[in-house]
Amino acid sequence: MHFYILTLFPEMVMQGLGTSILGRAAQRGHISVEAVNIRDYTLDKHGKVDDYTYGGGAGMLMQAQPVYDACMAVQERIAKRCGEDGRAAGARVVYVTPQGRTFHQEMAREFAREEDLIFLCGHYEGIDERVLEEIVTDQVSIGDYVLTGGELPAMVMVDAIARLVPGVLHNSESALTETFHDGLLEYPQYSRPEIWHGRRVPEILLSGDHARVDAWRLAQSLERTKRLRPDLYEAYMAAKNAPKETKE
Ligand code: ADE
């Protein structure tokens, strides 16, 4: 899967996403991450990408032209790679904004099915609305708080999506059993030593009885979800008790 991040701060994005699991996945060719500097596309001879807002108000706005040209350059490269002409249907363009739909695991799963994904990061007071209307397919937020720019939210989303791409995680099971898979929080886990600060690893995990371990883990997941995230627990129980669709 190929990620493109349109930003005024490409180093920030590449430093954040070039290490650890995603860095390794990129080296192994499972994903690619490219930060595209919007400033490289400005036609302004001083390299300017922002200007005052019409109608007044504090702060500067990112202008339409450099954002549009940066995005089109990426779309054309994607189309060429796909063997299509430069005006193909195009990859999805995610505008990272607190006004968007709130990101969640199911959205990550949906985006992970794309071959290419373009993130657009705003700065200053935002981006000229006209270019958003022309190029953006999805508006996504990472929560109800305001950050100084879209780079951190874009990095959060790329991380959550990339780890679902086949081959990125070493242990394919870890994406299946973890928190939010199936709508439950993950059960507690323990490693050596058996006793630490006087606290013992639960006896059942040392039993070697896989069926009992699985049952214990499910019970722990249920208890934990009910206690910490009653909203998720209710949704899980409702889905479980809902009548199954019957085939004709
Ligand atoms: N840009 C600034 N704050 C944001 C947020 N919470 N989510 C997405 N993009 C943002």
Side-chain angles (χ1 to χ4, degrees):
M1 178 168 184
H2 306 279
F3 296 95
Y4 302 86
I5 300 159
L6 308 179
T7 170
L8 291 174
F9 300 93
E11 330 75 45
M12 178 179 176
V13 172
M14 292 315 287
Q15 270 171 21
L17 296 175
T19 49
S20 187
I21 294 177
L22 296 200
R24 258 202 339 251
Q27 274 175 8
R28 284 189 276 130
H30 297 298
I31 59 165
S32 71
V33 180
E34 187 185 332
V36 176
N37 193 343
I38 294 170
R39 200 178 296 280
D40 289 346
Y41 290 86
T42 181
L43 297 178
D44 181 88
K45 60 177 185 290
H46 304 294
K48 209 162 70 77
V49 290
D50 60 325
D51 211 328
Y52 294 101
T53 53
Y54 280 116
M60 306 287 271
L61 205 63
M62 283 168 70
Q63 292 168 287
Q65 178 272 317
V67 171
Y68 182 80
D69 287 359
C71 187
M72 285 305 109
V74 170
Q75 290 282 25
E76 279 165 23
R77 274 168 46 209
I78 293 169
K80 260 195 203 113
R81 201 191 66 239
C82 298
E84 297 159 355
D85 72 6
R87 296 273 152 202
R92 284 167 84 170
V93 178
V94 180
Y95 178 41
V96 182
T97 165
Q99 297 186 20
R101 287 188 299 148
T102 307
F103 189 64
H104 53 72
Q105 190 66 20
E106 189 45 45
M107 226 189 263
R109 272 185 216 117
E110 186 203 319
F111 282 132
R113 289 195 280 271
E114 301 288 326
E115 183 59 30
D116 298 274
L117 204 52
I118 303 172
F119 286 89
L120 171 59
C121 303
H123 248 271
Y124 314 119
E125 289 306 301
I127 301 180
D128 189 307
E129 191 68 22
R130 294 167 296 182
V131 67
L132 299 178
E133 286 168 8
E134 287 210 9
I135 66 171
V136 169
T137 59
D138 302 84
Q139 302 209 18
V140 186
S141 164
I142 61 161
D144 289 342
Y145 41 84
V146 180
L147 301 168
T148 54
E151 284 74 16
L152 285 171
M155 287 157 69
V156 165
M157 290 189 250
V158 169
D159 190 284
I161 296 163
R163 62 189 291 289
L164 301 175
V165 171
V168 169
L169 294 185
H170 272 314
N171 176 2
S172 57
E173 233 200 19
S174 55
L176 282 179
T177 56
E178 69 198 1
T179 295
F180 294 134
H181 173 74
D182 226 15
L184 291 177
L185 302 184
E186 197 177 24
Y187 44 79
Q189 302 210 73
Y190 305 87
S191 183
R192 283 197 284 192
E194 224 173 285
I195 304 171
W196 178 82
H197 280 200
R199 298 159 178 271
R200 276 190 171 280
V201 171
E203 205 60 43
I204 196 162
L205 298 179
L206 313 175
S207 70
D209 183 337
H210 294 301
R212 284 181 65 220
V213 168
D214 286 349
W216 180 86
R217 285 177 166 169
L218 177 60
Q220 290 287 318
S221 277
L222 286 165
E223 183 282 321
R224 193 171 259 209
T225 309
K226 189 174 182 183
R227 180 165 45 88
L228 298 176
R229 291 292 305 271
D231 55 326
L232 290 182
Y233 182 77
E234 267 173 39
Y236 175 85
M237 294 312 270
K240 215 171 142 59
N241 295 329
K244 294 255 182 325
E245 269 181 44
T246 49
K247 284 201 180 117
E248 303 259 306

